[in-house]
Amino acid sequence: IAFIGQELPSSVHTLLLSATVTPDLDHITSLFLHNATTIDCSEDAAQNGDGQLQQFYLRCSHADKFLVMYALFKLNRIPGRSLIFVNSVDRGFRLKLFLEQFGVSSGVLNCELPLDSRWHCIQAFNRGLFDILIATDDPKLMLGHATPQGKGEPSGEGGGCSSAA
């Protein structure tokens, strides 16, 4: 394991997730992670935190979802940059277009975009070109029906980060 950790370039993004923090985990962290940051997701940490990372969940009817999103962002009820997960590529673009009508800029990140376009979209979000990133999962992977690309599937070429400035 130490050899693998030494051979990884510092440009590789590495995530290490653990429910517990032990001395063994500290040793592995020193091998694989550069400039590591720890996020404590426990209830106590959430109440005593400095408010930099927050999660919101709101149950509402399907018909009211876009209206609620508009109100939350237009009235600045959610400060800072936001990552919104939706369940389909279509839903992501619908939300983006809806928010765009009211001057709320956003970007859409989805599985149909080529790797370079997804990378560009994340970089644009990190540079602050837009404050809302709408992300979707690959529905085939969620259902366990993933197939290799190239067997009649569209490649997703020609796309890019859909952002409104």
Side-chain angles (χ1 to χ4, degrees):
I1 292 177
F3 176 74
I4 294 171
Q6 292 171 349
E7 294 300 313
L8 285 176
S10 61
S11 63
V12 171
H13 289 275
T14 308
L15 296 174
L16 179 62
L17 305 171
S18 176
T20 59
V21 178
T22 64
D24 291 335
L25 186 63
D26 290 335
H27 178 68
I28 292 172
T29 300
S30 67
L31 289 174
F32 290 99
L33 303 179
H34 309 283
N35 300 323
T37 300
T38 302
I39 299 175
D40 188 351
C41 296
S42 66
E43 292 289 328
D44 295 335
Q47 292 173 355
N48 297 331
D50 58 3
Q52 290 193 11
L53 179 64
Q54 296 178 347
Q55 177 177 324
F56 297 96
Y57 181 80
L58 176 66
R59 284 189 179 265
C60 62
S61 71
H62 185 72
D64 292 339
K65 287 183 180 185
F66 282 4
L67 179 61
V68 169
M69 293 302 292
Y70 165 73
L72 289 173
F73 288 112
K74 202 61 177 175
L75 298 174
N76 292 323
R77 298 305 300 164
I78 300 178
R81 294 188 292 171
S82 299
L83 178 60
I84 301 170
F85 293 97
V86 295
N87 64 358
S88 71
V89 174
D90 180 59
R91 192 72 171 172
F93 280 104
R94 285 178 188 251
L95 178 58
K96 179 206 177 331
L97 292 172
F98 177 80
L99 293 173
E100 194 174 82
Q101 291 177 5
F102 300 101
V104 179
S105 63
S106 62
V108 178
L109 181 66
N110 67 69
C111 60
E112 294 178 355
L113 297 173
L115 178 62
D116 289 341
S117 296
R118 293 190 306 259
W119 177 252
H120 172 73
C121 189
I122 292 170
Q123 293 302 316
F125 179 69
N126 287 339
R127 284 192 312 269
L129 295 178
F130 46 87
D131 290 332
I132 300 169
L133 182 60
I134 303 166
T136 64
D137 289 321
D138 185 349
K140 291 177 225 131
L141 291 176
M142 292 174 64
L143 297 174
H145 302 339
T147 57
Q149 211 168 10
K151 304 211 176 191
E153 302 250 343
S155 66
E157 296 296 327
C161 180
S162 299
S163 64

